[in-house]
Amino acid sequence: MAQTTAHRYNQWVRASTIHSALGLVLSLLLVNCHLTAPYGPSSKGPLVDSGADSALDGTVDGKIFDLSSEPGADMLAVDAPLDAPPPNDGNNDFPPSIGPELVVNGKVYVRKGSQEVFTWERRPAWDLPQGNGKAAFGDLDSDGDLDFFFGQRGQGTPIVAYENNGSFTAPAWLRRRTWDPPMATNEINYLGYTTPALADLDADGDLDLLYGAQYGGPIAYKNVGDETTASWQREVAWDLLGAGANQVCVTIGDLDGDGDLDALVDIVYSPAKRYRNDGSINAPIWVGTTDWPVAKVGTWEFRSTLADIDGDGDLDLIYGNRAGSVVAFRNEGDVNTPQWVRYASWDAPSETTAANPTLVDLDGH
């Protein structure tokens, strides 16, 4: 059975299946949805409106379609109000939101609205079991959902790993100590917060690690395990040492559209440093650049995160500062030359302490 292709949808919920002498009637409830293609047991003929009302217009009404060129109608679509609350079955298995989501100090926000015009809405059921720190997400065990690293404060275990033992739409976070990366106490000082970033830096199919700390970094670890079992080996050639000396945070993304990963390094008291990858997808070589400037808003200490927020194919930017502000910039350049312009309507709610944002597609949509 081919599923409908739809836009602005949250979730398909099957209401009932009814058999009749004239054919199969499939009754569906479309929540927060506009129907754009047939969904049914057959697609032998064109989509034919058999009546019932005039339009799918965001009001509660019905519409019957003939999907099969056979006698009888095949589907009843119910067009629910676009501002109807999303369903939840009680298991924290929410319908997909407009991605990406935003995680700030362990608290999850989803977007309510359209791709470009929205507000951030809390989703406590997805919150991380850690707070007041920077999270980095990736599928570390190749099971199809996102796990995460969390940068803590202090010398004990500066970065802790969690496996998602649930699913994309119903995460269940399980502490996974065997994934924790080793410390490099002879190279950097862990007194403050550690800020991890996960990315495949050598194009071997698994996720490698860069992280900065209170004093020093970012330093690199190559994942020498496999797609299901992470194992970390120090990779000095990938370091960004010298990028900053205090409150160092690294963010990874392809900022010049050449297919490899570049870096933003946030440090205290000064604008973010930018590094173009002049190596390859297999072996990064970081070269400082004055391209891609980012203005700072508010007090010192900044932590950036990159993602395509508005769905136009390039990377937008959000950063948090020490005062707790979560500040957004829209990329009004392109995939080859980002130009980040202040975009206050995308700002997220402020924190009462330093804000550590991460943009991530938590539900796979």
Side-chain angles (χ1 to χ4, degrees):
M1 183 181 295
Q3 184 169 345
T4 296
T5 302
H7 67 280
R8 282 207 65 188
Y9 74 95
N10 271 352
Q11 185 175 3
W12 290 99
V13 182
R14 181 170 296 171
S16 62
T17 302
I18 307 169
H19 292 273
S20 73
L22 296 177
L24 176 67
V25 178
L26 179 64
S27 179
L28 297 173
L29 176 63
L30 279 64
V31 180
N32 202 7
C33 174
H34 288 172
L35 181 67
T36 58
Y39 183 110
S42 173
S43 56
K44 297 178 184 177
L47 183 66
V48 178
D49 179 1
S50 297
D53 74 18
S54 59
L56 291 170
D57 56 6
T59 61
V60 179
D61 47 27
K63 198 170 185 70
I64 297 174
F65 295 99
D66 183 0
L67 303 179
S68 62
S69 295
E70 296 175 352
D74 298 314
M75 185 174 73
L76 170 64
V78 178
D79 183 18
L82 293 179
D83 60 354
N88 181 10
D89 60 8
N91 298 315
N92 301 329
D93 190 2
F94 289 86
S97 67
I98 308 167
E101 288 74 48
L102 178 66
V103 180
V104 184
N105 293 357
K107 293 183 285 191
V108 176
Y109 294 83
V110 300
R111 290 193 288 172
K112 184 177 183 180
S114 67
Q115 190 81 40
E116 296 187 28
V117 181
F118 60 85
T119 57
W120 294 106
E121 185 178 81
R122 283 280 287 118
R123 183 154 293 175
W126 289 359
D127 284 357
L128 309 187
Q130 300 278 147
N132 291 337
K134 178 78 169 173
F137 292 84
D139 187 356
L140 289 165
D141 53 4
S142 296
D143 65 349
D145 54 37
L146 293 180
D147 315 295
F148 76 93
F149 278 0
F150 198 85
Q152 299 191 119
R153 182 171 186 162
Q155 299 269 6
T157 307
I159 298 178
V160 292
Y162 282 82
E163 177 187 357
N164 184 354
N165 202 35
S167 65
F168 257 117
T169 54
W173 307 114
L174 177 67
R175 182 75 172 91
R176 184 64 71 188
R177 288 174 172 79
T178 57
W179 292 354
D180 291 353
M183 296 175 66
T185 51
N186 60 325
E187 298 178 79
I188 59 177
N189 186 312
Y190 292 95
L191 287 175
Y193 290 108
T194 306
T195 54
L198 288 166
D200 187 359
L201 295 173
D202 53 3
D204 65 349
D206 55 35
L207 293 171
D208 309 298
L209 173 69
L210 280 166
Y211 67 82
Q214 174 82 19
Y215 301 109
I219 64 174
Y221 284 85
K222 178 181 173 66
N223 187 348
V224 294
D226 53 37
E227 293 181 0
T228 59
T229 307
S231 179
W232 307 107
Q233 174 182 290
R234 193 69 177 84
E235 191 69 27
V236 176
W238 297 351
D239 284 356
L240 279 155
L241 284 173
N246 196 347
Q247 297 288 353
V248 179
C249 176
V250 60
T251 305
I252 301 296
D254 184 1
L255 295 172
D256 54 6
D258 65 351
D260 56 34
L261 295 172
D262 310 297
L264 295 179
V265 180
D266 297 294
I267 55 177
V268 71
Y269 299 126
S270 63
K273 294 187 177 181
R274 289 86 69 195
Y275 290 86
R276 190 188 309 277
N277 183 353
D278 281 351
S280 66
I281 60 173
N282 308 105
I285 299 174
W286 311 111
V287 177
T289 178
T290 57
D291 295 340
W292 327 319
V294 184
K296 289 199 169 183
V297 177
T299 58
W300 55 278
E301 188 178 333
F302 298 85
R303 285 153 189 180
S304 299
T305 181
L306 294 164
D308 183 5
I309 294 174
D310 55 4
D312 65 352
D314 54 35
L315 293 175
D316 308 295
L317 181 145
I318 286 179
Y319 67 66
N321 63 27
R322 187 181 181 88
S325 299
V326 183
V327 180
F329 290 80
R330 185 174 184 168
N331 186 351
E332 295 189 357
D334 54 34
V335 294
N336 307 109
T337 310
Q339 296 176 8
W340 289 302
V341 177
R342 184 76 175 90
Y343 211 70
S345 65
W346 291 354
D347 289 358
S350 296
E351 292 288 300
T352 57
T353 184
N356 295 273
T358 303
L359 287 162
V360 58
D361 186 2
L362 280 175
D363 62 5
H365 293 85

